[in-house]
Amino acid sequence: MAVIGWIGLGHMGGPMTANLVKAGHSVRGFDLNAQALDAAVAAGVTRAISIKDAVAGADVVFTMLPKGDHARAVYFGDDGVLAHAATTTLLVDSSTIDIESAQALHDATAAAGFRFVDAPVSGGITGAEAGTLTFMIGGEADAVTAATAYIEPMAANIIPTGGATTGQAAKICNNLMLFINLAATSEGAVLADRLGLDPQVFWDIASVSSGDSWALRTWYPVKGVVPSAAVNRDFAPTFTAELANKDIGLAVAAAAATDTPLEIGTHVQQLFQRLIDQGEGGKDCSMIVKLVDGSLA
């Protein structure tokens, strides 16, 4: 069993570390949010009082942070990972961040003599709790292989994606498709209702036809059709509109950097921004349906 340092114990990091503890690993976790840290400790994580404390003697350090700026600060700061971890420690960043920040982490860790992989995840809070996440891992082959052994208790799928930053690239493109599908599902659901279709009947048809998608099967934004959908709980978040806007914004930025037209994705990003502008950024991203049906302007 390994000694694992973990930085970032929010909605994803908390349940992910709980699964590592269940698998028998010793996990020392740190988060600036005291409530998140307390919850992780209640699930068996050992409390760390700083990044230095979290990484000391660790076989592997995972980071799960909101944005590229946070990841850079955690790795590069005077009290950061690179300042305190041993170079024998494997470093795994499972944040969803911009390609430029991911490349900066690869470059800096390599220059300092560390093995590092970018390993973002898909599957949301439910996947984190169930240990059924999909990990997309980019980096040198030996580091990817080493990371896989530690990741297994948290994952149903572990997919090497290639060299540096390809894990992030896969995550960005996947989430672009997810949120476009969510917007399309919302439009189809509202139109079906206004054409007189029973919501359950339409869902039964779409879920076995060419309109099917993960968003339709998991987040269908009509009450009483899909038990896992946030609409049944007044859009209490499974994945917030603010995070959705951040993720699809990464795709829009990557498209601009690669001269890739992204007309549909750009429009969907604007819809999430409208939710945020109206004070709904903390609600579930499937609240985008309220823009479709006119409940929100």
Side-chain angles (χ1 to χ4, degrees), residues 181 185 203 205-218:
N181 284 337
T185 294
W203 186 90
I205 293 167
S207 65
V208 294
S209 300
S210 53
D212 187 29
S213 69
W214 187 94
L216 180 137
R217 283 179 272 111
T218 309

Side-chain angles (χ1 to χ4, degrees), residues 57-250:
D59 299 302
V60 58
V61 169
F62 283 85
T63 47
M64 175 61 88
L65 302 160
K67 296 180 180 180
D69 289 345
H70 301 120
R72 289 175 187 253
V74 163
Y75 278 88
F76 302 157
D78 291 340
D79 192 37
V81 173
L82 297 188
H84 295 297
T87 55
T88 53
T89 301
L90 174 66
L91 306 179
V92 180
D93 182 44
S94 287
S95 316
T96 297
I97 60 176
D98 59 285
I99 297 294
E100 292 78 12
S101 291
Q103 186 65 62
L105 295 182
H106 274 280
D107 292 344
T109 53
F114 288 89
R115 294 171 300 158
F116 173 86
V117 296
D118 56 288
V121 304
S122 181
I125 296 171
T126 55
E129 292 172 344
T132 58
L133 294 169
T134 293
F135 278 74
M136 297 150 263
I137 314 179
E140 296 293 332
D142 63 333
V144 171
T145 299
T148 298
Y150 300 113
I151 286 169
E152 284 177 347
M154 302 180 285
N157 302 290
I158 303 171
I159 304 173
T161 52
T165 77
T166 57
Q168 291 296 346
K171 176 63 184 293
I172 288 170
C173 295
N174 178 78
N175 276 21
L176 168 67
M177 295 167 66
L178 164 64
F179 295 123
I180 290 173
N181 284 337
L182 175 61
T185 294
S186 298
E187 291 193 347
V190 171
L191 181 59
D193 176 67
R194 293 181 180 179
L195 291 174
L197 281 162
D198 178 272
Q200 186 67 59
V201 170
F202 176 65
W203 186 90
D204 289 344
I205 293 167
S207 65
V208 294
S209 300
S210 53
D212 187 29
S213 69
W214 187 94
L216 180 137
R217 283 179 272 111
T218 309
W219 287 349
Y220 196 69
V222 177
K223 284 185 178 179
V225 178
V226 175
S228 58
V231 65
N232 300 313
R233 296 171 294 281
D234 193 30
F235 296 100
T238 59
F239 198 91
T240 67
E242 187 173 33
L243 282 176
N245 187 56
K246 186 266 289 188
D247 281 6
I248 200 167
L250 295 177

